[in-house]
Amino acid sequence: MATGGTLVFFVNGRKIEIERPNPETTLLHHLRQTLYLTGTKSACGQGACGACTVMISSYDITSKSIRHVSVNACLVPLCYLHGRAVTTVEGVGSSRTGLHAVQKGIVECQGFQCGFCTPGMVMTMYTLFRNNSNPTQEQMERVLEGNLCRCTGYRPIVDSFVDAKKNCPCGLGLCQQTTETSGSVVESTQQEGSSQDVIFPPELQLTESYHTGDVVFKGDRYTWYRPTTLTRMLQLKAAHQSAPVVMGCNSIGYIMRKGMLASDVIICGTNVKELACVETTPTGIRVGAGVTMASLEHTLKDLTGKIKGPANRSILEALNVLRWIGADQIRNTATIGGHVMSHAPNLDLQVFLMAAGAELEFISEGKGTRQCKMDDDFINNGYSHVGGEEILASITIPYTRENEYIFGMKQPHRRGFDYGIVTCGLFVELDTSQEAVRTMRLAFGGVDKKPVLALSAAKNSVGKAWSEEIVQGVCGDLIVELNNAHYDNIKFRLTLACSFFFKFFLFVQEQLKKTDLPYSYNDTGLPYVPVSGTQVYDVPSEDGNRIIWKPVPNVSSEYITTGEAQFVDDIPSFQSELFAVPVTSKHAHARIVSVDTSRALALPGVVDYINCSDVPGNNKFGEVVPDGTLFAEDEVFCYGQIIGAILAESRTAGAKAVQLVDVTYEKMDAIFTIEEALEKKEFFEGVHKIDVGDLESTRKTASQCVEGSCSTGVQEHMYIETQSALVVPKLEQHELEVFTSTQILTITQRILSEFLNIPRNRLTLKVKRVGGAFGGKQGDAVAVAGIAAVGAWKTKRPVRCVWDRTTDVQITGKRHPSKTVYKVYFNDDGQIQGLDAKFYINAGYSQDCSPFVVKVGMWFLNGCYNIPNIKSEGYMCKTNLPSNTAFRGFGAPQMLFAVEHILQHVATHLGMSPDQVRQVNLIRQGALTVSRQVVPDENMLRCWTECRADSLYDQRKQEIATYNRTNRWRKRGMCLIPIMFGVGYAPLHANQAGALVLVYLDGSVLLTHGGVEMGQGVHTKMIQVAATELDIPREKIIISEVSTGTVPNTSESGGTQVADLNAGAIKNACVKIRDRLEPFRKANPEGTWEDWVNAAYIERVSLSATGIFKSREEGFDFDTNTGVHANYFTYGAACTEVEIDCLTGEHQVRRVDIVMDVGKSLNPAIDVGQIEGGFVMGYGLMTMEQMQITEDGRIKASGPLEYKVPCVRNIPREFKVKLLQNSETVKTVYSSKGVGEPPLLLASSVFFAIKEAVQSSRAEVGLTDDYPLKCPATAERIRMACQDKIIDRCQQAEMKPGSSPLVAI
């Protein structure tokens, strides 16, 4: 074996040679930290978000072809790349050489917002085009399943790539690989000016040793062997029997980083051709253990055209199973062998292979080959019986024969890239008459700690008639046989297992062409429908440089799409820079007895440890009440609370060191939920009360009354860029320069000055852009900046602090869980007369911004309805969770959901349709809100009426009723929801903004304002305002950054009014400049902008101006509940249609129609994007985003691998957005309205549409009660609500208690 130890690969055409590479280093780390190619983003470290997607190209010396695959750079070990070529977003196109058509498509279709995920999107689609000259929309959507976006709602991203397909040279085949007669492989370049496609390096094609030569790389802890023959691989395995054999390299990097690898040797078999073959045999398909999922899928698709008859059934079903495994970035490298040898309990292909009766072939140097079935014995005992010298060589999938049928299925938390909650592989052989069972194999994953073959259920079925009665028999057996204590929701899992078998029965009946049942297999499941959408808005006619109100592209488009846009962690390292890694609590509530850092500080590369004793000033902080701590002092109050931080010379050293910090605790009692807080009366001080009208009289006069309660759960922000800060100390005058991802510069500056006990003028905070925030980068951004600031102050060295995804999820606050207890009074016609409510929010261990959240939430007690008499109290529950914080909507989503729940309750009680009750109570012009503010117009009614008409609500309602009557296992529901959102802050001082305009002698303009760009397009809108006021092309204007050194005392970027306030300030400043230049315009009317600017300079006229804007003159008094809290109201309405699979709980949003009043939009394309993105985020809150904690208070999710936000497969299949035309003029800059938060509130229409579908399912068995479907409406909750015989049997069975109970919060 070669022992040179030099790793050779290419990046964007550049040859990279590394002596003695470290096997622990990932491609992502090398790209960002060594090559400074920061377009590839670090976001989750789990391969679950796609932000780090790159293209890897390799040369096959046998077929003389080049293979391009997309991969997650965060998972790929650097050593894997020997002899391969990597293309990053920087190698696709640039602002200097020109954009690729994929990048142009994103620019022109407004396919991004914050832009942090965009380079990954570009690389995913670019790779598809390199392989497929004419992809279908389904193929484009499929490859995007591995890329998450928290901002856009995905629709414009899909449109971007559909548009790129028309113009992409890759799509036309011009940069596809070609094979010349000489046998060498080259790639044609794109036509000049189209972009900079990298040619596959000829050296990798001509140097055979890269692909056939054995290599070994020795690092400090691990040695990486890459043999190229099976013989050599077996020799290595015999010599290193504990060494893992890696093929796809999707998990080995994570295992090494976590210190979970027992061996110091890794054997990589990616270049062993004997393991990468697929062969057909007379009885089945032999698949080499090294065959990737993607390669197998491609091969099986080819075989479906060659293998006919019964044998094709197993191939087709294997394809169906492969379709839903992982995402493209995973399937491209994950291998069949790695999947089989995994010990996970719920993998898709494992149970399919068990049901198929697959045969495994193991091979070793001394013992040769042995075969075994992948059956229950193997799962229970085989793993332990695999010899240390053995490797899995192949898996043989038998063909199905006559009268044999096989089926594979899973139900995930969301459709798309997700693990199955329960997976299954089901097989039956019928007798020759096709009337009775001869053999049956039933394999399930996700029902125990390992996959299970239900042997008893299968055995009991042999000889029985294949009729509907067998479903009841098998289901009864499965409930008994699979019942265990491994999961606390075992009833749901058993329900899924039984439902899968019922689907299997229908599937076989269809194959047999039996039609004796009133429904068929095709009546179950939700078919794929491509995404489509329309956007309707006014665009004014051309008027010189007046570009306000026009859908111009985002000003950062070309830099975002090329990876050139800079986020905090993209800033190059400073000399002597340190990296801070927090040490966090492992208990929810405990006294800190001692902290021993000696082992950590002894680690090479570790410089120091900081804690509360190192804070020069005040360690306590808070946005409202300073009851939180930067570092815990004597006691920790939640799992994940920061105790201290390691300062190290590298991220790797810091991450290793925190594992060596020994903290001794004295555990104390903890509470986590609102119910526990109510029971123990744990509240923060201050009860917010509202008393409007005369509820006491209403109690006596109202003819009807109902009472109840409802709740909403926690929601994780899941911004794609984690919390980040970089603090650079300047010893002179004790100054610090702070680069931070905060959305509240002034508050962060204030708190940092209190931490360090220095004046604020010594702290200059700078924000270029933020990779998503949604309220989550307020208080929690202070903490990460505070750690870096204290570290920089103590060491006098730059300190960077960037939380990894797990830390971010564990430490940061979320959307407040809530509970509303109500009693509502109304008349027989549905008119609501009064409401008595108590509103509880789970604040966490400190108050953060909870006092405002509870107050703002209660302002929405009437929703958008006229409820004249209201009495309410709001409470902040004190629990041992991370302090919950601001989140898009700021209390309004929780309360508006409660209001809609109340109206549904009223409608059910009266036997009326919910839309009737909504319409009769809809707020009208002249009515008063809860805060006693007058509704000034009828735009709420206009949105409602137009949405109802545009969506064909009444017609489709009848169509849905007809559909539901004729479909037993699929049901549809539709809901029309209005919203009214008051924009503006109650404290008067928070409704102001400043700006600075600098004009240079070449005519260029530098614009600065106080609004943070975090995806909402505020910089683009501000440039539109400035260009319009100065009457110059927008290309002359740039915004470099937001800084406390240019615009002091900024208001926070939130509350839907960032554009309102800062546009006013910019207009004010630009008018000053324009007025100063007016004499020079008049003196030289034929001159240019540059002429007038230079003339002003000659006359010593100032070419800089500050601007100030305040949105209103009257504030709001919380004590008396009087005054003005909103500058204006934004209105909207949404009609949503959904379809549910009653057997699995899965759902699909079929169509959404939205009408939104945003005044006269500054940029309608940006505002439509905000509407779609907000709606999809709210949809996640309503349906799939659920968080659980363990008994010790640890949040179970560590990132997007477990916490599921919507992906491209989940969004509305038909997405229609219309901006209300000719809306009444509001007193804002250019008559525009804010739109960031209101659309999220419309997503409750999804929940109530699902509930309607569930009610239709329950009506099938005679249940007409108002079923209390909980929010979020997860697959589990939907399935368990759809009452049927399967549910009845599972509910009646005695279940074993779960061994590891989880608490939903």
Side-chain angles (χ1 to χ4, degrees):
M1 174 163 289
T3 56
T6 300
L7 173 66
V8 180
F9 62 102
F10 286 74
V11 176
N12 298 332
R14 171 189 169 194
K15 186 176 182 179
I16 308 295
E17 297 181 86
I18 304 174
E19 298 289 339
R20 292 179 58 83
N22 184 356
E24 296 178 74
T25 302
T26 64
L27 171 58
L28 178 62
H29 184 275
H30 188 76
L31 290 174
R32 293 184 58 82
Q33 306 303 321
T34 303
L35 301 182
Y36 301 107
L37 295 173
T38 55
T40 307
K41 303 303 181 189
S42 176
C44 75
Q46 300 176 329
C49 74
C52 65
T53 301
V54 299
M55 184 176 80
I56 292 182
S57 304
S58 55
Y59 182 58
D60 188 316
I61 60 172
T62 303
S63 64
K64 306 297 183 185
S65 62
I66 299 169
R67 179 173 178 253
H68 306 293
V69 297
S70 57
V71 302
N72 291 305
C74 70
L75 299 182
V76 175
L78 203 61
C79 294
Y80 170 84
L81 298 172
H82 188 67
R84 290 176 164 84
V86 177
T87 304
T88 70
V89 69
E90 291 90 345
V92 173
S94 76
S95 61
R96 296 188 180 187
T97 62
L99 303 189
H100 189 277
V102 169
Q103 296 162 321
K104 288 180 181 178
I106 294 177
V107 171
E108 293 167 2
C109 295
Q110 301 272 3
F112 75 90
Q113 288 182 23
C114 82
F116 199 82
C117 68
T118 304
M121 297 281 183
V122 169
M123 292 312 302
T124 295
M125 193 52 58
Y126 176 76
T127 306
L128 175 64
F129 282 137
R130 291 298 291 260
N131 289 313
N132 186 341
S133 62
N134 189 31
T136 64
Q137 183 170 331
E138 182 175 9
Q139 289 169 326
M140 286 189 274
E141 289 185 36
R142 176 179 175 177
V143 299
L144 288 173
E145 287 175 10
N147 292 77
L148 294 180
C149 176
R150 197 59 159 152
C151 299
T152 64
Y154 299 99
R155 192 276 312 161
I157 298 175
V158 175
D159 283 358
S160 299
F161 295 135
V162 171
D163 183 73
K165 175 183 171 181
K166 305 170 187 175
N167 306 300
C168 182
C170 300
L172 298 174
L174 299 183
C175 59
Q176 295 263 315
Q177 60 189 48
T178 60
T179 304
E180 297 187 345
T181 54
S182 63
S184 64
V185 179
V186 299
E187 295 197 17
S188 60
T189 59
Q190 292 188 31
Q191 297 177 1
E192 184 178 353
S194 58
S195 81
Q196 57 186 53
D197 271 299
V198 177
I199 300 174
F200 186 80
E203 181 179 333
L204 297 182
Q205 304 176 56
L206 302 174
T207 309
E208 191 171 304
S209 61
Y210 283 134
H211 316 290
T212 60
D214 296 347
V215 293
V216 56
F217 305 120
K218 293 185 177 181
D220 294 334
R221 291 203 298 175
Y222 301 106
T223 300
W224 180 284
Y225 290 97
R226 193 206 71 176
T228 56
T229 66
L230 182 57
T231 299
R232 181 56 184 152
M233 188 176 190
L234 294 175
Q235 291 172 354
L236 286 169
K237 194 67 173 83
H240 307 282
Q241 296 192 12
S242 63
V245 173
V246 299
M247 302 295 290
C249 300
N250 278 315
S251 58
I252 189 66
Y254 175 83
I255 292 172
M256 284 191 288
R257 288 198 304 273
K258 295 297 183 181
M260 298 160 56
L261 191 61
S263 172
D264 59 359
V265 168
I266 300 160
I267 303 170
C268 176
T270 54
N271 282 50
V272 178
K273 295 298 181 184
E274 296 98 318
L275 298 179
C277 299
V278 180
E279 302 170 346
T280 58
T281 72
T283 58
I285 301 171
R286 183 182 181 275
V287 183
V291 174
T292 66
M293 302 282 186
S295 178
L296 178 59
E297 187 174 2
H298 179 76
T299 302
L300 292 181
K301 283 180 180 178
D302 288 342
L303 289 176
T304 57
K306 301 173 184 178
I307 298 175
K308 305 296 184 180
N312 203 24
R313 294 178 193 145
S314 56
I315 299 174
L316 290 173
E317 203 56 28
L319 281 170
N320 179 52
V321 172
L322 286 167
R323 162 62 184 92
W324 297 108
I325 295 177
D328 261 35
Q329 294 94 323
I330 301 296
R331 286 188 290 261
N332 287 332
T333 54
T335 62
I336 308 304
H339 191 90
V340 167
M341 296 304 290
S342 171
H343 291 219
N346 60 339
L347 297 183
D348 312 37
L349 199 57
Q350 280 190 344
V351 289
F352 177 80
L353 295 173
M354 292 167 69
E359 189 171 84
L360 309 180
E361 179 187 28
F362 290 91
I363 188 169
S364 62
E365 183 182 31
K367 299 178 181 178
T369 63
R370 71 176 178 91
Q371 282 79 31
C372 70
K373 291 285 187 182
M374 189 167 180
D375 55 15
D376 195 62
D377 181 62
F378 174 78
I379 294 296
N380 286 310
N381 307 305
Y383 287 121
S384 60
H385 291 170
V386 175
E389 74 284 3
E390 286 187 314
I391 66 166
L392 177 63
S394 69
I395 303 97
T396 299
I397 306 172
Y399 295 135
T400 40
R401 298 171 299 185
E402 193 69 38
N403 301 323
E404 291 183 348
Y405 302 90
I406 191 166
F407 179 81
M409 192 175 188
K410 75 173 179 183
Q411 179 54 49
H413 294 280
R414 69 166 182 219
R415 182 55 63 187
F417 176 25
D418 194 6
Y419 289 107
I421 303 168
V422 174
T423 60
C424 77
L426 309 175
F427 170 91
V428 67
E429 179 191 5
L430 303 178
D431 62 16
T432 55
S433 67
Q434 298 184 338
E435 296 294 339
V437 175
R438 178 174 288 173
T439 309
M440 186 181 284
R441 287 188 291 273
L442 309 174
F444 296 94
V447 295
D448 204 342
K449 57 187 176 183
K450 57 194 174 186
V452 174
L453 263 177
L455 300 177
S456 295
K459 181 179 178 182
N460 293 341
S461 300
V462 173
K464 290 185 178 179
W466 184 255
S467 63
E468 194 169 10
E469 286 70 29
I470 200 170
V471 176
Q472 295 301 316
V474 169
C475 288
D477 290 340
L478 289 177
I479 290 170
V480 174
E481 187 171 358
L482 301 181
N483 190 1
N484 67 83
H486 188 65
Y487 295 100
D488 60 342
N489 63 344
I490 191 64
K491 281 189 179 182
F492 169 55
R493 293 172 185 269
L494 293 181
T495 298
L496 281 182
C498 295
S499 298
F500 288 167
F501 183 80
F502 179 52
K503 284 200 172 198
F504 175 49
F505 173 77
L506 296 178
F507 173 78
V508 174
Q509 292 295 90
E510 184 176 275
Q511 299 286 310
L512 296 173
K513 294 182 170 51
K514 292 188 176 182
T515 59
D516 53 326
L517 293 176
Y519 32 75
S520 70
Y521 177 69
N522 286 333
D523 295 329
T524 70
L526 304 175
Y528 164 76
V529 178
V531 170
S532 65
T534 57
Q535 305 82 46
V536 179
Y537 48 78
D538 287 328
V539 178
S541 59
E542 294 297 327
D543 183 15
N545 292 307
R546 192 179 184 85
I547 62 165
I548 208 68
W549 303 319
K550 295 182 180 178
V552 301
N554 190 297
V555 294
S556 299
S557 294
E558 60 182 307
Y559 310 109
I560 289 289
T561 58
T562 58
E564 297 166 15
Q566 192 178 74
F567 295 85
V568 171
D569 200 29
D570 299 335
I571 298 172
S573 299
F574 286 82
Q575 188 176 7
S576 76
E577 180 181 296
L578 299 175
F579 193 82
V581 183
V583 175
T584 60
S585 168
K586 303 305 178 189
H587 290 280
H589 191 197
R591 191 168 291 107
I592 300 173
V593 177
S594 64
V595 180
D596 183 356
T597 61
S598 56
R599 290 197 303 149
L601 293 173
L603 201 67
V606 175
V607 173
D608 208 343
Y609 172 78
I610 55 174
N611 62 12
C612 60
S613 64
D614 295 300
V615 179
N618 189 356
N619 184 50
K620 292 186 177 297
F621 76 99
E623 285 191 57
V624 182
V625 179
D627 61 346
T629 58
L630 178 60
F631 299 110
E633 296 174 354
D634 301 315
E635 197 172 331
V636 291
F637 297 96
C638 73
Y639 194 107
Q641 187 174 350
I642 300 168
I643 297 172
I646 289 289
L647 303 180
E649 293 174 345
S650 71
R651 299 164 195 251
T652 303
K656 291 178 180 177
V658 295
Q659 304 300 320
L660 301 177
V661 175
D662 296 317
V663 182
T664 305
Y665 303 91
E666 183 181 309
K667 191 174 178 181
M668 303 169 72
D669 291 338
I671 60 175
F672 303 118
T673 66
I674 290 175
E675 286 71 24
E676 289 177 296
L678 290 173
E679 180 184 347
K680 298 181 180 179
K681 295 182 171 52
E682 285 287 343
F683 306 108
F684 286 106
E685 289 185 7
V687 178
H688 184 57
K689 297 183 179 181
I690 285 180
D691 193 346
V692 176
D694 185 358
L695 187 64
E696 292 305 317
S697 297
T698 302
R699 296 181 202 272
K700 301 172 184 176
T701 59
S703 59
Q704 302 277 352
C705 173
V706 293
E707 57 185 307
S709 66
C710 63
S711 301
T712 59
V714 76
Q715 186 178 27
E716 162 64 33
H717 298 86
M718 200 55 73
Y719 31 67
I720 307 300
E721 177 201 30
T722 59
Q723 300 282 355
S724 309
L726 170 61
V727 177
V728 182
K730 299 177 180 179
L731 301 184
E732 184 180 353
Q733 299 187 109
H734 306 304
E735 294 179 75
L736 290 96
E737 189 173 23
V738 181
F739 302 91
T740 172
S741 60
T742 186
Q743 55 188 110
I744 50 169
L745 272 82
T746 296
I747 294 177
T748 303
Q749 183 190 42
R750 169 180 65 80
I751 296 174
L752 290 182
S753 75
E754 293 169 358
F755 285 157
L756 301 179
N757 196 26
I758 59 175
R760 299 185 199 182
N761 63 355
R762 304 293 205 275
L763 288 154
T764 302
L765 273 67
K766 297 182 177 182
V767 180
K768 187 79 170 178
R769 59 178 52 83
V770 174
F774 319 114
K777 290 180 177 174
Q778 295 192 11
D780 289 316
V782 171
V784 71
I787 292 172
V790 171
W793 183 266
K794 181 179 182 181
T795 62
K796 300 179 182 179
R797 295 168 65 172
V799 174
R800 187 183 303 252
C801 188
V802 179
W803 288 345
D804 62 41
R805 180 60 63 182
T806 300
T807 301
D808 197 294
V809 171
Q810 294 291 333
I811 288 177
T812 59
K814 326 293 179 194
R815 185 186 298 280
H816 293 72
S818 74
K819 180 174 184 177
T820 303
V821 180
Y822 62 86
K823 183 177 286 189
V824 59
Y825 302 89
F826 50 97
N827 295 336
D828 296 341
D829 62 356
Q831 184 77 49
I832 296 176
Q833 298 300 312
L835 176 64
D836 190 353
K838 285 184 169 57
F839 181 50
Y840 303 94
I841 62 170
N842 189 331
Y845 84 91
S846 71
Q847 294 185 60
D848 195 86
C849 59
S850 295
F852 281 137
V853 170
V854 74
K855 291 173 182 177
V856 170
M858 291 176 67
W859 280 338
F860 289 87
L861 269 165
N862 67 314
C864 48
Y865 305 105
N866 186 22
I867 305 178
N869 307 292
I870 296 177
K871 180 176 282 189
S872 181
E873 296 177 347
Y875 297 85
M876 298 175 287
C877 298
K878 186 176 183 180
T879 63
N880 296 108
L881 294 175
S883 300
N884 288 313
T885 188
F887 201 138
R888 195 175 194 170
F890 210 75
Q894 295 96 313
M895 182 55 76
L896 287 176
F897 174 81
V899 172
E900 296 299 338
H901 174 92
I902 291 168
L903 264 74
Q904 292 273 148
H905 195 169
V906 170
T908 303
H909 181 79
L910 293 174
M912 297 173 63
S913 67
D915 61 285
Q916 285 180 292
V917 176
R918 290 186 175 101
Q919 183 148 346
V920 76
N921 287 287
L922 203 65
I923 201 162
R924 302 291 296 273
Q925 185 176 12
L928 293 177
T929 67
V930 171
S931 59
R932 299 177 182 176
Q933 192 162 338
V934 178
V935 177
D937 50 47
E938 289 284 22
N939 285 3
M940 178 71 267
L941 179 62
R942 286 186 60 200
C943 288
W944 170 270
T945 304
E946 289 192 23
C947 187
R948 185 169 190 140
D950 292 350
S951 65
L952 304 175
Y953 179 82
D954 297 300
Q955 174 188 324
R956 289 167 56 210
K957 199 75 172 174
Q958 294 178 6
E959 293 170 353
I960 287 171
T962 300
Y963 180 89
N964 288 344
R965 282 194 298 270
T966 56
N967 286 269
R968 173 63 183 93
W969 303 113
R970 290 207 304 249
K971 298 293 183 181
R972 293 176 182 173
M974 189 163 67
C975 181
L976 178 60
I977 291 281
I979 59 106
M980 180 177 78
F981 189 93
V983 175
Y985 289 123
L988 199 57
H989 70 270
N991 297 279
Q992 64 173 305
L996 173 65
V997 178
L998 305 175
V999 182
Y1000 297 93
L1001 294 181
D1002 63 352
S1004 62
V1005 176
L1006 180 63
L1007 183 63
T1008 308
H1009 60 94
V1012 174
E1013 177 58 73
M1014 46 197 176
Q1016 81 280 46
V1018 64
H1019 284 355
T1020 302
K1021 289 182 176 180
M1022 298 307 100
I1023 287 176
Q1024 287 180 267
V1025 170
T1028 297
E1029 290 299 328
L1030 297 175
D1031 195 22
I1032 61 176
R1034 69 180 187 276
E1035 290 78 12
K1036 290 184 178 293
I1037 308 172
I1038 70 164
I1039 297 174
S1040 177
E1041 63 187 9
V1042 180
S1043 171
T1044 57
T1046 53
V1047 178
N1049 312 316
T1050 60
S1051 297
E1052 69 175 72
S1053 291
T1056 306
Q1057 63 171 351
V1058 184
D1060 291 350
L1061 297 178
N1062 289 283
I1066 286 169
K1067 182 177 181 180
N1068 178 254
C1070 287
V1071 167
K1072 293 177 182 178
I1073 295 289
R1074 189 182 66 201
D1075 290 347
R1076 291 173 193 168
L1077 293 179
E1078 187 59 25
F1080 306 101
R1081 288 177 186 264
K1082 291 180 178 179
N1084 182 14
E1086 301 301 319
T1088 64
W1089 164 258
E1090 290 78 7
D1091 294 335
W1092 304 325
V1093 166
N1094 278 272
Y1097 172 74
I1098 295 298
E1099 293 298 322
R1100 295 176 295 179
V1101 172
S1102 175
L1103 293 172
S1104 67
T1106 59
I1108 184 73
F1109 178 75
K1110 46 187 178 179
S1111 58
R1112 68 172 192 268
E1113 296 297 333
E1114 184 181 355
F1116 185 82
D1117 189 322
F1118 283 106
D1119 293 330
T1120 62
N1121 195 37
T1122 58
V1124 177
H1125 84 84
N1127 304 330
Y1128 57 83
F1129 297 101
T1130 293
Y1131 309 97
C1135 178
T1136 297
E1137 180 184 345
V1138 303
E1139 185 168 17
I1140 66 171
D1141 181 341
C1142 304
L1143 290 170
T1144 63
E1146 187 173 348
H1147 75 273
Q1148 182 169 272
V1149 181
R1150 289 172 47 80
R1151 175 174 165 176
V1152 171
D1153 293 79
I1154 295 175
V1155 176
M1156 204 83 196
D1157 170 27
V1158 298
K1160 201 166 184 180
S1161 170
L1162 295 176
N1163 187 315
I1166 286 176
D1167 286 348
V1168 165
Q1170 287 288 292
I1171 292 167
E1172 292 175 333
F1175 183 90
V1176 171
M1177 178 175 281
Y1179 161 61
L1181 170 68
M1182 290 289 109
T1183 60
M1184 67 186 69
E1185 296 186 41
Q1186 186 178 39
M1187 192 162 276
Q1188 297 173 313
I1189 57 172
T1190 60
E1191 288 182 295
D1192 58 0
R1194 176 180 61 84
I1195 294 172
K1196 182 174 177 285
S1198 59
L1201 200 61
E1202 299 97 347
Y1203 182 81
K1204 297 303 176 182
V1205 302
C1207 75
V1208 69
R1209 187 61 71 173
N1210 311 124
I1211 65 171
R1213 299 293 91 189
E1214 193 174 0
F1215 209 163
K1216 299 187 173 190
V1217 176
K1218 176 176 139 181
L1219 303 186
L1220 189 70
Q1221 298 175 328
N1222 303 316
S1223 65
E1224 296 295 326
T1225 301
V1226 291
K1227 295 179 180 180
T1228 61
V1229 179
Y1230 294 107
S1231 300
S1232 68
K1233 291 184 178 183
V1235 73
E1237 293 170 296
L1240 185 143
L1241 317 178
L1242 292 170
S1244 63
S1245 61
V1246 180
F1247 177 90
F1248 291 108
I1250 289 173
K1251 185 171 182 179
E1252 182 179 280
V1254 167
Q1255 297 286 65
S1256 179
S1257 175
R1258 293 173 63 81
E1260 292 279 356
V1261 291
L1263 297 174
T1264 57
D1265 58 318
D1266 185 17
Y1267 182 80
L1269 184 67
K1270 291 185 178 180
C1271 178
T1274 60
E1276 177 176 352
R1277 287 172 174 168
I1278 294 171
R1279 177 63 186 103
M1280 299 307 283
C1282 292
Q1283 200 75 26
D1284 53 36
K1285 293 179 180 179
I1286 294 174
I1287 292 282
D1288 288 342
R1289 297 195 68 168
C1290 289
Q1291 294 285 19
Q1292 293 167 12
E1294 185 176 343
M1295 299 293 167
K1296 299 176 182 178
S1299 58
S1300 301
L1302 298 171
V1303 179
I1305 53 174

